Amino acid sequence: MVLLISRTSDSPAMDQLRLTTRSCHFRWTPKRPANTIWCDRTNWREARTAEIDVAEPLTGKEALAVDAPPTLIQAVPKRRAEFFAGRLCAMLAIEELCGIAHAIPVQPDRSPCWPEGLLGSITHTDHRALAVAASRAFYQLLGVDLEPVMPNDQAEALSQLIVTPVEKLFRPLAMSSATFVTLAFAAKEALYKAIYPITRRVIEFHDVKLFGLHNDAIDLELDPLARSHALPTNRFSVKYQLADGHCLCLLAVEQP
Ligand SMILES: CC(C)(COP(=O)(O)OP(=O)(O)OC[C@H]1O[C@@H](n2cnc3c(N)ncnc32)[C@H](O)[C@@H]1OP(=O)(O)O)[C@@H](O)C(=O)NCCC(=O)NCCS
């Protein structure tokens, strides 16, 4: 398998925050099954396309290896590619924070296991991956989700599952229904990823209520039944960006 990775610029909306993000575009060809990919940090830094091939392991201090966990060994190439791209972004984000590109194991519930003292979140679509990471000294919750804006028929079919009629009233007139449904979906997923490491509970879309929509943020509240005393708050402001047919949502709750 060959995975082609080209670095993209990091999200400007996140620049002012004390966290690091790494993102990439990727595509894959199912030539050979790969259990490890190799990234050349020089290629990455210089924003050149990096061709990553297991058949040619890299050596030297610029080489970064990402291993597939046992659960991924049987996975189809597409799943491996998104996993590798997400992990690569996460390891590079961590490396920027603490100088070491720690591996990020997969927990039995599939959530990532972040190194001591750090927290983060990973997302991927068919061809893009993004990870955020930060120090626990500054942040208590981090969750990110990237989604391509759904086609109208898909948004219509999923809309009932994701938002209630009352939540739909928050859609600005200038925003299409499909964009609104995608945004609500991504914001709720980002919230779920951020709180899961604390609550360890799966929640449903209707356990989270949308109660405000602004130019760059969406207000969400956890339903009383989904709340946890371990969380710092039950009301969250999820930042969002709509660009290039995609919706990017980030929930970052700072330490008090
Ligand atoms: C885990 C889940 C949130 C992934 O969302 P997705 O939009 O399908 O996929 P994304 O690419 O954005 O994110 C996948 C990454 O999230 C991370 N992730 C998986 N489970 C996670 C969890 N419980 N907590 C935090 N992060 C998690 C992983 O890093 C994963 O990538 P990887 O498997 O390659 O390591 C989703 O599939 C899920 O299990 N949802 C159940 C709960 C839910 O969605 N409720 C409604 C929202 S309130």
Side-chain angles (χ1 to χ4, degrees):
M1 180 174 80
V2 176
L3 182 73
L4 287 167
I5 292 204
S6 57
R7 183 182 161 181
T8 57
S9 63
D10 297 320
S11 169
M14 297 177 186
D15 280 353
Q16 69 270 31
L17 303 171
R18 283 184 292 186
L19 45 81
T20 58
T21 72
R22 287 291 175 269
S23 57
C24 69
H25 285 198
F26 64 92
R27 59 193 171 90
W28 50 270
T29 49
K31 270 193 192 166
R32 286 181 290 273
N35 294 328
T36 301
I37 60 156
W38 303 82
C39 171
D40 182 323
R41 291 176 173 88
T42 313
N43 275 346
W44 181 279
R45 269 197 298 272
E46 294 175 6
R48 281 186 266 138
T49 298
E51 184 170 306
I52 296 164
D53 191 334
V54 68
E56 293 173 28
L58 298 172
T59 51
K61 65 179 173 50
E62 289 300 279
L64 174 62
V66 187
D67 296 316
T71 47
L72 218 75
I73 303 296
Q74 299 298 325
V76 295
K78 174 188 178 296
R79 170 65 187 131
R80 289 185 194 212
E82 67 181 28
F83 176 88
F84 283 136
R87 279 306 193 277
L88 182 58
C89 289
M91 288 171 72
L92 288 162
I94 286 179
E95 185 173 43
E96 174 156 325
L97 277 175
C98 67
I100 301 171
H102 290 278
I104 304 153
V106 180
Q107 307 200 72
D109 58 13
R110 196 189 151 189
S111 64
C113 178
W114 298 92
E116 188 73 25
L118 301 179
L119 74 171
S121 185
I122 298 170
T123 184
H124 31 61
T125 64
D126 284 354
H127 297 288
R128 295 179 188 199
L130 185 142
V132 293
S135 162
R136 287 193 182 278
F138 298 127
Y139 286 94
Q140 24 186 350
L141 304 177
L142 266 190
V144 72
D145 198 62
L146 178 67
E147 301 289 336
V149 173
M150 296 176 198
N152 290 337
D153 53 347
Q154 189 190 359
E156 204 177 309
L158 291 179
S159 139
Q160 270 196 324
L161 177 78
I162 298 163
V163 279
T164 62
V166 172
E167 290 175 290
K168 282 183 192 169
L169 298 175
F170 289 94
R171 175 172 72 87
L173 284 178
M175 186 181 281
S176 72
S177 293
T179 301
F180 175 76
V181 171
T182 309
L183 178 57
F185 178 91
K188 292 183 181 190
E189 290 276 341
L191 169 59
Y192 170 70
K193 289 186 199 174
I195 66 173
Y196 181 84
I198 291 181
T199 62
R200 298 271 158 200
R201 271 210 320 254
V202 176
I203 55 171
E204 305 296 330
F205 287 102
H206 290 305
D207 291 331
V208 183
K209 295 278 174 285
L210 187 165
F211 69 97
L213 182 50
H214 317 280
N215 281 342
D216 64 351
I218 184 163
D219 301 322
L220 299 179
E221 180 174 28
L222 276 178
D223 187 83
L225 290 177
R227 290 178 187 174
S228 158
H229 292 301
L231 290 171
T233 174
N234 293 308
R235 289 187 153 208
F236 305 89
S237 173
V238 178
K239 287 202 172 299
Y240 73 86
Q241 266 185 322
L242 295 169
D244 205 11
H246 283 70
C247 173
L248 173 63
C249 285
L250 170 76
L251 175 59
V253 178
E254 294 192 63
Q255 292 288 0

